[in-house]
Each structure stands twice: as C-alpha cells, then as structure tokens.
Amino acid sequence: MTNTNREWLLAERPDGEPDQDCFELRETDAPSPASGELLVRTRYLSVDPYMRGRMRDAESYAEPWDVGDALKGGIVGEVIESESDAHEAGDLVTGEGRWADYATLDADDVAPVDPTVADPEAYLGVLGMPGRTAYFGLLEVGEPKPGDTVVVSGAAGAVGSVVGQIAKRNGCRVVGFAGTDEKTDWLTDDLGFDAAINYEATDDYRAALDEAAPDGVDVYYDNVGGPITDAVFTKLNLDARVAVCGQIAHYNDEEVPTGPRKLPGLIAVRARVEGLLVSDFATRFGEASERLGRWVANGGLEHRETIVDGLENAPDAFLGLFSGDNIGKQVVRVSAADEE
C-alpha cells in the first residue's frame, strides 16, 4: 500500500496554554502491518484534556511525549490490512492510535465496534475511556446511595455527562456545573439532572449551591478544580466522598496557586477525597462496557459528540477543550465511511 499518511507531531512544549505552534503536520508513506498487527484507517480520533499533561517534560501517570513524537490517542477506524486471524479487512475497531490517517495497531490491543449499538464515534466517548471513567469513578470511588446529592463539575463534558446519568439511575439528586446556558439546558432537559449551574453567569458559587443542593453534598465528582471545587468543599456533608478525576482549571498553569487551605474543612465532616485513574480498573473494563452498551442501546443513557471535521483541524479540536467548545465528547472526523 502506498497511500500518503498525514500525522501530527509535538513541535514544541507549550508555555502555559498550548497554541498552534506546538503542532506540526508531517506527511509520510502509510505504514505496513507486521505479524499480529492491523493497518487501520482512522475514521474518528479522540482529543482529551489529559493529553495536556503529556506535553509537559514531567513525570505523570501518562508518559510524556518528546518533542518530535507523534501524538497519540483513542481512535475508531476500519481495518485495511490484517496480519492477524482475529480481524479482517473491513472490520471496525477501536484502540490507541496516532493522530494520523493510518496507524498500525496490535490486534490484541483493539476492541470491536458495533454500529448497531451506537454510532462509531460513541466508542470514543460514552462507550470508551470517558464512559468507563465515569462508571468506575462514580460507582467505586463516589459510592452513591439512593437519596444522596451528587454534584458534578465539567458536567456537560464526556465524563461528567455520563456521571450524572448514572447517579440518577442510582436514585440520587444530581447537580451539574457547566459553562453556557445551552449546556445547562442539555443537562436538565435531556439528561435528567435536577439542577444545573452556569458558572460563567454565576458570581457566587456557594449561594448557587445553597439553592441547587439545599441538603448539602454527599458525592462530588470533580473534573475541574479551581473556585468551583473550593465552593463545593464548603457544602460537603458528613461522610461525603470526593472523586478527583481531573483538574482542567489548572492544566495550563505553570505554577498552581495555593489558595485558601481546604483540608481542615474535611475533618468535621470526615469526608474522603480520592483520586482516580480508570486504568486501575482495567481488569473490569468488560463489565463497564457491557453495562454502558446495554444502557445506550435501550435508550437509558444519552450521549452527544461534538465533531470537528478533518485531521488538519485536530489541534483546533484539542485547543477547543480549554475554551469549552464541546458539548459531550469532542472528536475529530478524519475520514468518512464512503471514502475510498
């Protein structure tokens, strides 16, 4: 195969918020699969906030990229060539690939995509890593009980929107923070949240929580950090659980501000604060995928994807995460099903 392959590289490390200068588009020949590998043509590419950490020259839970490295993330694609008995040309699969038109993936590291359950792009969101993060983060770390009040920051994103719906399935009152009226309306009108707070239009988060969560907060699923989290910590109930999934408010900070010390407030309420990585639950991914897939198929779990067209626009899609451009999961459509 001699098709040209475009792929994005990390051109330089960002100083603060990334910009277009951090990315370089390179053209090469499409790779060839070795034994046990698949050549996959990318249909959809995931961009996620955690990728900002991989741009730093610092140790973290995700291995940092070196300058000049190809950028990587979740993809959904079509098998073009197979050197494995597990898959054949034409199969749709999802796995970890490059920001590229084509990628070679180990056949043991991909999962099948069933378009009869949901559109393929959903396998990068509600049926992919974000959905599993929501599932395990809420149920295993948050431990919601019927009647609990669950507050979710970043509630209109890929993870938060699923967290809130699972909390409702567990008999909880659910309050979400999001950044526009369109997003808060989606949370309450379509996803069944009991209340939603537009943090961009709210000067006093604590007062807004008094109204939206009058009985206090039993579970806080934190995707954001910053002033929202500061406000929620003042409303935690006895034995509250805080699941720390992300801190997007600080991802571009070169120095994280200390701010008021919040830990003393956890003593009286005996609250538990726990960070989570979805990879810790890897042996149970099948359980989450089966339940999430069933809920999506029967209409019990809503999802939404914000689609940016064209591999050439992948950096724009990624940068848009930090300005709140997306509702639900942000994905890049690299190629259409009918393209040759």
Side-chain angles (χ1 to χ4, degrees):
M1 161 166 202
T2 58
N3 287 352
T4 298
N5 188 38
R6 300 170 300 162
E7 63 178 359
W8 282 102
L9 312 180
L10 180 65
E12 61 181 45
R13 298 196 186 281
D15 181 11
E17 185 168 344
D19 58 25
Q20 291 288 344
D21 291 339
C22 298
F23 305 91
E24 177 187 348
L25 188 62
R26 178 180 68 178
E27 289 192 0
T28 62
D29 291 336
S32 297
S35 178
E37 290 186 336
L38 312 171
L39 176 63
V40 176
R41 181 182 184 183
T42 308
R43 290 256 196 103
Y44 294 94
L45 166 69
S46 178
V47 291
D48 300 279
Y50 81 88
M51 295 172 176
R52 175 61 182 86
R54 301 193 71 178
M55 296 173 135
R56 298 183 186 275
D57 185 15
E59 185 175 348
S60 181
Y61 64 86
E63 183 179 357
W65 292 314
D66 289 330
V67 172
D69 279 354
L71 304 182
K72 297 179 181 179
I75 67 167
V76 167
E78 179 182 354
V79 176
I80 302 300
E81 295 182 27
S82 175
E83 294 295 333
S84 167
D85 293 335
H87 296 279
E88 59 185 26
D91 287 352
L92 285 179
V93 297
T94 182
E96 183 81 1
R98 297 177 178 232
W99 290 22
D101 292 304
Y102 297 92
T104 53
L105 280 67
D106 192 309
D108 292 335
D109 295 336
V110 303
V113 168
D114 185 352
T116 66
V117 174
D119 292 336
E121 58 267 31
Y123 283 81
L124 297 176
V126 63
L127 298 180
M129 179 271 290
R132 293 190 291 267
T133 301
Y135 178 91
F136 290 113
L138 178 67
L139 297 180
E140 299 296 325
V141 179
E143 297 180 348
K145 305 175 183 64
D148 279 352
T149 294
V150 176
V151 173
V152 187
S153 61
V159 174
S161 59
V162 179
V163 169
Q165 292 181 83
I166 296 176
K168 287 298 297 181
R169 295 183 70 92
N170 281 264
C172 300
R173 175 177 177 81
V174 180
V175 178
F177 278 89
T180 67
D181 288 340
E182 181 184 6
K183 291 179 179 181
T184 56
D185 288 346
W186 181 58
L187 295 177
T188 55
D189 296 347
D190 295 338
L191 303 191
F193 281 54
D194 296 281
I197 299 167
N198 180 348
Y199 63 82
E200 291 287 0
T202 303
D203 294 327
D204 190 338
Y205 298 153
R206 293 175 65 173
L209 281 166
D210 285 337
E211 181 176 350
D215 296 325
V217 179
D218 301 293
V219 179
Y220 176 42
Y221 198 105
D222 187 12
N223 292 303
V224 171
I228 292 174
T229 294
D230 293 345
V232 175
F233 267 40
T234 68
K235 307 298 179 182
L236 296 177
N237 288 333
L238 187 66
D239 296 324
R241 287 82 66 201
V242 178
V244 183
C245 176
Q247 297 283 283
I248 195 170
H250 300 300
Y251 285 170
N252 292 319
D253 291 342
E254 291 302 307
E255 293 184 9
V256 178
T258 301
R261 303 288 185 179
K262 298 298 179 184
L263 294 182
L266 304 179
I267 298 172
V269 295
R270 278 83 86 194
R272 186 185 80 225
V273 181
E274 183 176 343
L276 69 104
L277 291 177
V278 69
S279 57
D280 291 342
F281 301 94
T283 59
R284 295 174 56 195
F285 280 0
E287 167 200 331
S289 296
E290 190 278 329
R291 295 189 76 186
L292 291 166
R294 186 170 69 247
W295 294 339
V296 168
N298 65 24
L301 186 60
E302 298 289 334
H303 61 95
R304 184 167 170 178
E305 294 79 38
T306 298
I307 297 176
V308 175
D309 276 305
L311 179 65
E312 64 277 8
N313 295 316
D316 290 329
F318 172 71
L319 298 175
L321 294 171
F322 300 99
S323 54
D325 290 352
N326 60 298
I327 299 180
K329 181 71 184 79
Q330 183 96 314
V331 298
V332 178
R333 180 160 41 208
V334 177
S335 63
D338 58 353
E339 289 183 5
E340 294 297 331

